[in-house]
């Protein structure tokens, strides 16, 4: 059995297009569990994100600046290879509802097959955030709905700016 590392480094991977209060809740809880938490954005332009990787990193940095053991990064390629390059032994993911479970289980099992020494730790979403997704937030604000309380205020400002500019162009 591999010895327990003296400092546990965890990766919280995702698209974060953009970060929601659900993501932020998971980051805060993950930061209490692990010595170092790296929130890392998948660089995947084929998904046609609303915000570029750099913009998403900036938004993440703005909201985690007071958490000393949280860092923001980006990656491409295989997640487990990236995790190993960072010395991480944990992949952190959130589960909001049963509908998330199948996808998360599939990814966790594939990642374990690829790298058995890296564990996936899934935290259940806090109930206040269990209905929030980046996709729905973008849909609601694009249609003129109120998203306050669903994303950090700085992200709300950027969303309004981006969608206003897109609509006006
Ligand atoms: O927030 P998302 O979009 O559900 O995050 C998905 C993510 C980034 C965790 C997943 O797509 C990923 O890990 N991609 C990297 C490629 C990879 O390692 N694939 C094989 C393992 S499932």
């Amino acid at each position: 059995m591999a010895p327990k590392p003296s400092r546990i480094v965890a990766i919280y991977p995702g698209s974060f297009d953009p970060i929601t209060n659900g993501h932020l809740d998971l980051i805060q809880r993950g930061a209490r569990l692990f010595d170092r938490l790296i929130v890392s954005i998948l660089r995947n332009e084929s998904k046609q994100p609303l915000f570029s990787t750099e913009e998403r990193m900036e938004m993440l940095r703005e909201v985690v600046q007071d958490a000393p053991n949280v860092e923001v990064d980006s990656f491409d390629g295989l997640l487990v290879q990236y995790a190993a390059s960072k010395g991480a032994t944990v992949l952190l993911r959130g589960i909001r509802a049963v509908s998330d479970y199948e996808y998360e289980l599939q990814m966790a099992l594939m990642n374990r097959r690829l790298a058995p020494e890296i564990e996936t730790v899934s935290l259940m979403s806090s109930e206040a955030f269990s209905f929030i997704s980046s996709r729905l937030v973008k849909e609601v604000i694009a249609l003129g709905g109120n998203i306050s309380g669903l994303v950090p205020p700085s992200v709300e400002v950027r969303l309004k700016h981006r969608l206003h500019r897109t609509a006006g162009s």
Side-chain angles (χ1 to χ4, degrees):
M1 200 160 72
K4 179 182 170 298
S6 55
R7 278 172 48 81
I8 299 189
V9 180
I11 307 283
Y12 178 21
S15 304
F16 305 105
D17 185 38
I19 179 174
T20 67
N21 282 346
H23 295 129
L24 190 54
D25 174 60
L26 213 77
I27 292 171
Q28 286 161 347
R29 291 162 60 201
R32 285 199 294 271
L33 286 174
F34 308 113
D35 296 296
R36 187 173 160 218
L37 178 65
I38 306 173
V39 185
S40 199
I41 297 173
L42 174 66
R43 290 183 172 270
N44 182 358
E45 297 308 322
S46 68
K47 267 198 168 181
Q48 297 198 315
L50 181 62
F51 294 101
S52 70
T53 307
E54 283 64 34
E55 287 172 316
R56 285 178 276 158
M57 287 177 78
E58 244 176 68
M59 285 187 272
L60 275 168
R61 285 204 180 100
E62 279 164 16
V63 297
V64 304
Q65 59 188 351
D66 294 332
N69 61 336
V70 179
E71 289 160 44
V72 175
D73 195 15
S74 65
F75 75 104
D76 49 25
L78 272 183
L79 174 60
V80 289
Q81 277 176 3
Y82 164 74
S85 77
K86 293 284 172 184
T89 52
V90 171
L91 303 174
L92 175 66
R93 293 286 290 175
I95 293 188
R96 289 167 299 191
V98 178
S99 49
D100 282 343
Y101 179 76
E102 236 173 283
Y103 172 58
E104 294 300 328
L105 177 66
Q106 215 178 5
M107 279 204 301
L109 294 181
M110 179 59 80
N111 284 330
R112 187 192 292 160
R113 185 187 171 97
L114 294 169
E117 66 286 1
I118 297 178
E119 282 293 347
T120 297
V121 172
S122 301
L123 295 185
M124 302 306 130
S125 280
S126 300
E127 56 190 279
F129 304 117
S130 62
F131 65 97
I132 306 176
S133 70
S134 300
R135 185 182 63 79
L136 274 187
V137 163
K138 286 183 282 193
E139 186 175 311
V140 169
I141 195 168
L143 297 172
N146 181 359
I147 57 154
S148 67
L150 304 184
V151 296
S154 56
V155 173
E156 187 176 346
V157 170
R158 283 202 197 227
L159 271 167
K160 283 186 176 149
H161 187 69
R162 174 59 44 93
L163 293 167
H164 177 72
R165 233 185 40 201
T166 310
S169 62

